[in-house]
Amino acid sequence: MGFLTSTTHLHITTWVIAIILFFIAAVASKPNKGVHMGLRLMYILIIISGGALFMNYRDGFGMIYDIKVLFGILVIGFMEMILVRKTKGKSTTMFWVLFAIVFFVTLYLGLFNGIPMNFS
Ligand code: HEM
């Protein structure tokens, strides 16, 4: 499964597409099932690509890797919460705040943690 773990490009591609679809769905005036379905497909691909990186590289890097995965999953969770609550007409403010925080923490943990696959 080298194509999943030889670089992080696939993982990055999947979450960038997911963020774009998420914002399209989030700003749309009415719910768009197709975009939301596409986003859910990207969740699966993010988890597969991130999970493969995790299995391959976690040894020896301690908890930072586990925390990166946890926050990555939280980002997905909050995107889904925001869209579902928006569809139901419920308030999303609190979830936007949580989304923003966990997203930036995830980016930080992914990019600046000194683990081997880092771009930086
Ligand atoms: C939308 C959510 C996510 C975002 C924004 C995100 C972001 C990132 C970023 C920026 C990197 C660094 C790539 C690099 O340095 O080349 C990364 C790496 C990684 N991600 Fe994610 N990720 C997300 C979800 C996930 C999930 C759900 C998992 C696990 C199932 C996961 C597991 C990993 C692993 C194991 C790495 C490798 C860390 C490294 O060696 O730098 N990510 N991710």
Side-chain angles (χ1 to χ4, degrees):
M1 298 292 270
F3 76 101
L4 284 174
T5 51
S6 55
T7 73
T8 51
H9 297 174
L10 183 68
H11 184 59
I12 295 175
T13 308
T14 55
W15 67 254
V16 168
I17 295 174
I19 295 293
I20 293 169
L21 291 177
F22 169 65
F23 278 108
I24 292 173
V27 299
S29 50
K30 46 184 180 183
N32 184 325
K33 279 219 170 79
V35 175
H36 200 168
M37 287 285 285
L39 178 59
R40 286 175 171 152
L41 176 65
M42 297 319 293
Y43 297 159
I44 295 169
L45 297 179
I46 292 169
I47 291 169
I48 293 173
S49 60
L53 291 169
F54 181 68
M55 296 308 223
N56 220 35
Y57 297 107
R58 68 178 156 171
D59 287 348
F61 291 91
M63 258 175 44
I64 200 75
Y65 245 97
D66 307 87
I67 297 171
K68 160 67 182 67
V69 169
L70 182 68
F71 273 82
I73 291 168
L74 286 175
V75 175
I76 295 177
F78 289 131
M79 290 195 282
E80 188 60 19
M81 288 295 282
I82 289 169
L83 294 185
V84 168
R85 290 180 68 90
K86 179 182 146 97
T87 311
K88 291 184 178 166
K90 293 187 181 166
S91 157
T92 54
T93 318
M94 192 63 205
F95 290 97
W96 275 108
V97 174
L98 292 168
F99 166 77
I101 296 169
V102 297
F103 178 67
F104 284 110
V105 171
T106 306
L107 279 187
Y108 181 82
L109 290 176
L111 292 172
F112 304 113
N113 52 20
I115 40 189
M117 291 303 288
N118 270 336
F119 256 16
S120 40

